């Protein structure tokens, strides 16, 4: 892995993910490139859903060269990133957050951050691109009314603003050390970290996936690859590969 992040800040872009992806695919961008947009016009998340990213939020995309055997594991890099955020928020911002499988960070039952990872084939080989959106220095009133109930911001939670560049520096340090651990020891240590902080673990949840039947059951944790395990009413364990997780309450 490239240990020297090359961080670039831009005032505004459509989407740091799309901009960095274009640079990587054209050969202009390299592993280790980090693009931070202070504002995005057209941020997007999983399933191409709109990601609202006003001035004051963190919108960051980074690239890395996966070692052999990790080229197609963007879904695990997603979870590595979620754990890095959870550890950073606990250690440096005293916030106890939960990881909502597969790609969100929740604080007091509301969404604080979302992660989007993708496998790419660049001109010089495989790359992983990871995008992180986090509601940093905004307040809920900066968001469209229909979103306000479902999200929170670090500023609202702590009562004050946080320096973006310091946050980015800490995040990259935390992420780099967890990615190193993941490359050296595989997914097992990440799985246990995620399970300790998994939203709705032990509770009855259901999973919705486009054009598929809802799956209901008790959330038991993750399997060794990072997929979600549910125990249904008949005692049968179900392995969830993708979908939106929801809780009854
Ligand atoms: C999700 O909740 O589905 C993931 C949201 C990911 C948003 C980030 S913000 C930085 C990067 N640029 C994007 O357009 N998306 C990701």
């Amino acid at each position: 892995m490239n240990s020297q992040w090359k961080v670039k800040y831009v005032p505004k872009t459509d989407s740091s993910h799309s901009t960095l992806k274009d640079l990587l695919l054209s050969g202009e961008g390299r592993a280790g490139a980090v693009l931070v947009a202070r504002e995005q016009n057209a941020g997007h998340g999983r399933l191409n859903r709109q990601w609202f990213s006003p001035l004051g939020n963190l919108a960051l995309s980074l690239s890395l060269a996966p070692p052999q055997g990790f080229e197609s594991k963007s879904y695990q890099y997603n979870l590595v990133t979620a754990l890095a955020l959870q550890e950073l928020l606990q250690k440096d911002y005293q916030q106890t957050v939960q990881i909502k499988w597969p790609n969100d960070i929740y604080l007091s039952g509301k969404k604080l951050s979302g992660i989007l990872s993708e496998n790419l084939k660049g001109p010089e080989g495989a790359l992983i691109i990871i995008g992180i959106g986090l509601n940093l220095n905004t307040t809920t009133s900066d968001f469209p009314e229909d979103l306000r109930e479902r999200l929170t911001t670090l500023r609202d939670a702590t009562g004050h603003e946080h320096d973006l560049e310091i946050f980015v520096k800490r995040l990259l340090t935390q992420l780099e050390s967890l990615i190193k651990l993941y490359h050296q020891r595989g997914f097992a240590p990440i799985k246990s970290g995620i399970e300790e902080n998994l939203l709705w673990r032990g509770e009855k949840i259901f999973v919705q996936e486009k054009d598929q039947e809802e799956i209901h059951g008790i959330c038991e944790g993750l399997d060794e690859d990072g997929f979600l395990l549910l125990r249904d009413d008949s005692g049968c364990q179900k392995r969830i590969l993708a979908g939106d997780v929801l809780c009854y309450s």
Side-chain angles (χ1 to χ4, degrees), residues 92-248:
D92 292 336
Y93 298 88
Q94 294 75 49
Q95 299 302 309
T96 301
V97 299
Q98 285 77 43
I99 297 165
K100 178 169 178 272
W101 186 92
N103 68 327
D104 293 338
I105 300 292
Y106 268 53
L107 175 57
S108 305
K110 295 184 173 188
K111 183 159 169 168
L112 176 71
S113 172
I115 303 157
L116 176 70
S117 304
E118 209 181 320
N119 312 314
L120 290 184
K121 185 110 190 75
E124 287 170 20
L127 290 165
I128 303 283
I129 177 167
I130 302 172
I132 302 165
L134 185 136
N135 305 330
L136 188 69
N137 288 321
T138 43
T139 85
T140 43
S141 56
D142 295 321
F143 291 82
E145 229 173 305
D146 57 319
L147 296 180
R148 290 181 195 165
E149 272 295 294
R150 288 181 276 142
L151 63 84
T152 188
T153 78
L154 194 59
R155 176 176 156 190
D156 285 347
T158 58
H160 59 92
E161 294 202 359
H162 300 273
D163 187 282
L164 173 69
E165 297 192 14
I166 293 175
F167 190 93
V168 167
K169 220 180 239 172
R170 290 173 173 164
L171 173 60
L172 293 175
T173 305
Q174 192 71 26
L175 190 54
E176 180 157 357
S177 90
L178 267 196
I179 289 175
K180 205 165 153 196
L181 175 75
Y182 169 55
H183 289 166
Q184 285 171 348
R185 297 194 27 220
F187 190 67
I190 308 300
K191 165 180 146 68
S192 52
I194 298 275
E195 284 182 326
E196 276 168 33
N197 298 285
L198 187 63
L199 186 69
W200 300 326
R201 188 170 183 207
E203 290 181 48
K204 188 143 191 207
I205 58 169
F206 59 105
V207 181
Q208 291 175 330
E209 177 70 337
K210 198 167 173 258
D211 302 329
Q212 285 181 31
E213 238 179 75
E214 281 179 4
I215 302 173
H216 296 244
I218 304 285
C219 172
E220 293 199 320
L222 305 185
D223 76 354
E224 68 283 359
D225 290 319
F227 297 116
L228 193 68
L229 297 175
L230 294 197
R231 179 84 50 189
D232 74 12
D233 285 346
S234 61
C236 182
Q237 195 178 59
K238 302 263 160 109
R239 184 173 182 250
I240 312 293
L241 303 184
D244 290 319
V245 175
L246 296 139
C247 188
Y248 285 87

Side-chain angles (χ1 to χ4, degrees), residues 30-144:
R30 298 262 181 286
V34 182
L35 181 64
V36 185
R38 294 187 189 271
E39 200 177 345
Q40 295 185 123
N41 297 323
H44 57 89
R46 208 170 70 83
L47 306 173
N48 223 14
R49 288 178 183 144
Q50 185 184 13
W51 177 259
F52 200 70
S53 198
L55 188 66
N57 269 6
L58 169 74
L60 176 153
S61 295
L62 62 85
S63 59
L64 58 96
Q68 217 182 354
F70 291 76
E71 298 90 339
S72 60
K73 305 221 161 164
S74 63
Y75 62 97
Q76 290 188 346
Y77 284 98
N78 228 42
L79 294 164
V80 172
T81 307
L83 188 58
L85 275 167
Q86 181 275 320
E87 290 180 351
L88 169 71
L89 288 161
Q90 185 71 65
K91 188 164 55 98
D92 292 336
Y93 298 88
Q94 294 75 49
Q95 299 302 309
T96 301
V97 299
Q98 285 77 43
I99 297 165
K100 178 169 178 272
W101 186 92
N103 68 327
D104 293 338
I105 300 292
Y106 268 53
L107 175 57
S108 305
K110 295 184 173 188
K111 183 159 169 168
L112 176 71
S113 172
I115 303 157
L116 176 70
S117 304
E118 209 181 320
N119 312 314
L120 290 184
K121 185 110 190 75
E124 287 170 20
L127 290 165
I128 303 283
I129 177 167
I130 302 172
I132 302 165
L134 185 136
N135 305 330
L136 188 69
N137 288 321
T138 43
T139 85
T140 43
S141 56
D142 295 321
F143 291 82

